[in-house]
Amino acid sequence: MNRLFDLPPSAQPPKTTLIPVPWDATASYHKGSSQGPKAILEASSQLDLFDRNFGRADQIGIDLLPIPEEILQWNRDALKDPHPETVNLLSKKLNQWVLEQSRKILDENQFAGVIGGEHSAPFGLIQALSERTSSFGILHMDAHHDLRKAYQGYTHSHASIFYNCVTQIENLEKLVSVGIRDFSEEEYHFAQSQAHKITAFYDADLSRLKFQGVAFE
């Protein structure tokens, strides 16, 4: 089985193409998310094709690119030599690869998505999207800010993706982060200094409002 949902190729071009990014070189707690795309692909054959919101999966036009062996090799190389200089160089190659794949998909007027892998994986897709609009925003749902300038020497760490987005992508107008509960002092102060661009909804504040009976819709 090498296609999403174990479906045969469709005669129609997909509306959405997912980019598998098997990368966890900067993961700081447990490795293993590099196996995410393969696990999702294998598990997809066990799903019912019907969804009450979207209809049948085989009719909505979603596809998954082949899992790239070159990224698996880059990931193995990074794990073998985890020195920041090596990993940062491989991270740049990874970002460029995702950028190029994203451009191809967007050029076909399709939606593009990334399946990781760790949180750093979508940076190339965000870059590609930024090239096609004058301004845009990101909705980020996570327990962490991911606003570190670098983490453990890795400048493209999973903990740094939104720092990189905010500082490197000029037409990113707004980053809205929801559910944040664990962050460094440096990240907190950076978010405050970028209040015109970053809006954070902290888990403690949301929980307090929920306890007070405030309804969220």
Side-chain angles (χ1 to χ4, degrees), residues 4-78:
L4 200 62
F5 307 115
D6 201 16
L7 294 172
S10 172
Q12 300 297 323
K15 297 178 182 178
T16 299
T17 296
L18 303 177
I19 305 168
V21 185
W23 174 263
D24 57 8
T26 76
S28 52
Y29 186 50
H30 286 305
K31 308 293 185 182
S33 57
S34 61
Q35 298 301 312
K38 179 181 177 182
I40 290 171
L41 179 63
E42 292 175 349
S44 71
S45 66
Q46 301 298 315
L47 296 174
D48 285 311
L49 294 179
F50 174 74
D51 181 273
R52 67 176 184 171
N53 294 314
F54 299 103
R56 288 180 55 89
D58 56 338
Q59 296 175 355
I60 62 176
I62 184 169
D63 201 4
L64 175 67
L65 295 180
I67 296 173
E69 177 56 39
E70 59 194 311
I71 293 182
L72 288 169
Q73 185 59 54
W74 294 345
N75 198 65
R76 288 191 289 266
D77 292 342

Side-chain angles (χ1 to χ4, degrees), residues 152-173:
Q152 298 179 337
Y154 303 139
T155 55
H156 291 280
S157 165
H158 66 92
S160 302
I161 181 171
F162 291 118
Y163 177 87
N164 292 331
C165 288
V166 169
T167 59
Q168 297 180 31
I169 301 178
E170 294 182 358
N171 58 338
L172 172 59
E173 186 172 296

Side-chain angles (χ1 to χ4, degrees), residues 69-142:
E69 177 56 39
E70 59 194 311
I71 293 182
L72 288 169
Q73 185 59 54
W74 294 345
N75 198 65
R76 288 191 289 266
D77 292 342
L79 296 179
K80 186 181 299 183
D81 178 12
H83 190 277
E85 184 176 352
T86 299
V87 177
N88 289 339
L89 179 61
L90 291 168
S91 292
K92 289 181 180 180
K93 292 175 65 174
L94 171 78
N95 291 337
Q96 184 63 32
W97 184 90
V98 175
L99 173 62
E100 292 170 0
Q101 298 302 313
S102 300
R103 284 171 173 166
K104 292 176 185 177
I105 294 168
L106 296 174
D107 284 345
E108 295 295 327
N109 293 317
Q110 300 174 21
F111 292 106
V114 165
I115 294 179
E118 62 180 45
H119 291 187
S120 65
F123 186 71
L125 171 57
I126 296 170
Q127 286 182 301
L129 292 170
S130 75
E131 297 171 348
R132 295 162 189 265
T133 183
S134 59
S135 65
F136 70 106
I138 296 174
L139 174 60
H140 165 223
M141 292 176 285
D142 194 0

